[in-house]
mmCIF file of all heavy atoms in Angstrom:
data_model
loop_
_atom_site.group_PDB
_atom_site.id
_atom_site.type_symbol
_atom_site.label_atom_id
_atom_site.label_comp_id
_atom_site.label_asym_id
_atom_site.label_seq_id
_atom_site.Cartn_x
_atom_site.Cartn_y
_atom_site.Cartn_z
ATOM 1 N N SER N 41 -19.953 32.326 1.973
ATOM 2 C CA SER N 41 -21.090 31.440 1.694
ATOM 3 C C SER N 41 -20.909 30.799 0.325
ATOM 4 O O SER N 41 -20.629 31.501 -0.658
ATOM 5 C CB SER N 41 -22.406 32.221 1.657
ATOM 6 O OG SER N 41 -22.653 32.897 2.864
ATOM 7 N N PHE N 42 -21.059 29.486 0.236
ATOM 8 C CA PHE N 42 -21.093 28.796 -1.060
ATOM 9 C C PHE N 42 -21.535 27.357 -0.824
ATOM 10 O O PHE N 42 -21.626 26.896 0.318
ATOM 11 C CB PHE N 42 -19.730 28.844 -1.775
ATOM 12 C CG PHE N 42 -18.594 28.180 -1.048
ATOM 13 C CD1 PHE N 42 -18.336 26.816 -1.211
ATOM 14 C CD2 PHE N 42 -17.771 28.913 -0.194
ATOM 15 C CE1 PHE N 42 -17.289 26.207 -0.539
ATOM 16 C CE2 PHE N 42 -16.715 28.306 0.482
ATOM 17 C CZ PHE N 42 -16.473 26.954 0.307
ATOM 18 N N ALA N 43 -21.834 26.670 -1.935
ATOM 19 C CA ALA N 43 -22.233 25.264 -1.840
ATOM 20 C C ALA N 43 -21.339 24.420 -2.733
ATOM 21 O O ALA N 43 -20.833 24.898 -3.753
ATOM 22 C CB ALA N 43 -23.688 25.108 -2.259
ATOM 23 N N VAL N 44 -21.140 23.182 -2.338
ATOM 24 C CA VAL N 44 -20.369 22.214 -3.114
ATOM 25 C C VAL N 44 -21.319 21.068 -3.435
ATOM 26 O O VAL N 44 -21.750 20.347 -2.534
ATOM 27 C CB VAL N 44 -19.156 21.697 -2.314
ATOM 28 C CG1 VAL N 44 -18.320 20.741 -3.155
ATOM 29 C CG2 VAL N 44 -18.312 22.861 -1.805
ATOM 30 N N ARG N 45 -21.681 20.935 -4.706
ATOM 31 C CA ARG N 45 -22.716 19.991 -5.124
ATOM 32 C C ARG N 45 -22.127 18.645 -5.536
ATOM 33 O O ARG N 45 -21.005 18.598 -6.034
ATOM 34 C CB ARG N 45 -23.474 20.556 -6.325
ATOM 35 C CG ARG N 45 -24.054 21.925 -6.105
ATOM 36 C CD ARG N 45 -25.334 21.846 -5.322
ATOM 37 N NE ARG N 45 -25.908 23.171 -5.101
ATOM 38 C CZ ARG N 45 -26.548 23.513 -3.990
ATOM 39 N NH1 ARG N 45 -26.686 22.651 -3.003
ATOM 40 N NH2 ARG N 45 -27.051 24.711 -3.854
ATOM 41 N N PRO N 46 -22.923 17.594 -5.389
ATOM 42 C CA PRO N 46 -22.483 16.278 -5.877
ATOM 43 C C PRO N 46 -22.314 16.275 -7.400
ATOM 44 O O PRO N 46 -23.030 16.988 -8.097
ATOM 45 C CB PRO N 46 -23.638 15.348 -5.486
ATOM 46 C CG PRO N 46 -24.444 16.084 -4.477
ATOM 47 C CD PRO N 46 -24.246 17.541 -4.750
ATOM 48 N N GLY N 47 -21.348 15.471 -7.880
ATOM 49 C CA GLY N 47 -21.214 15.232 -9.318
ATOM 50 C C GLY N 47 -20.331 16.203 -10.065
ATOM 51 O O GLY N 47 -20.131 16.043 -11.266
ATOM 52 N N VAL N 48 -19.808 17.218 -9.379
ATOM 53 C CA VAL N 48 -18.872 18.140 -10.034
ATOM 54 C C VAL N 48 -17.701 18.437 -9.105
ATOM 55 O O VAL N 48 -17.837 18.374 -7.886
ATOM 56 C CB VAL N 48 -19.512 19.506 -10.416
ATOM 57 C CG1 VAL N 48 -20.346 19.402 -11.659
ATOM 58 C CG2 VAL N 48 -20.303 20.083 -9.276
ATOM 59 N N VAL N 49 -16.567 18.759 -9.727
ATOM 60 C CA VAL N 49 -15.440 19.281 -8.962
ATOM 61 C C VAL N 49 -15.643 20.782 -8.827
ATOM 62 O O VAL N 49 -15.831 21.485 -9.822
ATOM 63 C CB VAL N 49 -14.096 19.012 -9.666
ATOM 64 C CG1 VAL N 49 -12.939 19.616 -8.861
ATOM 65 C CG2 VAL N 49 -13.876 17.520 -9.876
ATOM 66 N N THR N 50 -15.639 21.271 -7.590
ATOM 67 C CA THR N 50 -15.704 22.710 -7.335
ATOM 68 C C THR N 50 -14.322 23.182 -6.908
ATOM 69 O O THR N 50 -13.719 22.610 -5.997
ATOM 70 C CB THR N 50 -16.739 23.012 -6.226
ATOM 71 O OG1 THR N 50 -18.033 22.651 -6.697
ATOM 72 C CG2 THR N 50 -16.742 24.497 -5.858
ATOM 73 N N GLY N 51 -13.825 24.210 -7.570
ATOM 74 C CA GLY N 51 -12.529 24.787 -7.217
ATOM 75 C C GLY N 51 -12.732 25.962 -6.276
ATOM 76 O O GLY N 51 -13.571 26.827 -6.533
ATOM 77 N N LEU N 52 -11.973 25.981 -5.172
ATOM 78 C CA LEU N 52 -11.982 27.116 -4.240
ATOM 79 C C LEU N 52 -10.667 27.847 -4.472
ATOM 80 O O LEU N 52 -9.599 27.360 -4.088
ATOM 81 C CB LEU N 52 -12.098 26.606 -2.805
ATOM 82 C CG LEU N 52 -12.179 27.661 -1.694
ATOM 83 C CD1 LEU N 52 -13.446 28.508 -1.830
ATOM 84 C CD2 LEU N 52 -12.136 27.003 -0.315
ATOM 85 N N VAL N 53 -10.759 28.984 -5.155
ATOM 86 C CA VAL N 53 -9.559 29.632 -5.669
ATOM 87 C C VAL N 53 -9.401 31.024 -5.075
ATOM 88 O O VAL N 53 -10.373 31.780 -4.992
ATOM 89 C CB VAL N 53 -9.641 29.771 -7.210
ATOM 90 C CG1 VAL N 53 -8.302 30.246 -7.769
ATOM 91 C CG2 VAL N 53 -10.031 28.453 -7.846
ATOM 92 N N GLY N 54 -8.191 31.354 -4.675
ATOM 93 C CA GLY N 54 -7.933 32.698 -4.183
ATOM 94 C C GLY N 54 -6.473 32.801 -3.773
ATOM 95 O O GLY N 54 -5.823 31.790 -3.532
#
Side-chain angles (χ1 to χ4, degrees):
S41 302
F42 62 87
V44 183
R45 305 280 180 216
V48 282
V49 178
T50 295
L52 182 64
V53 189

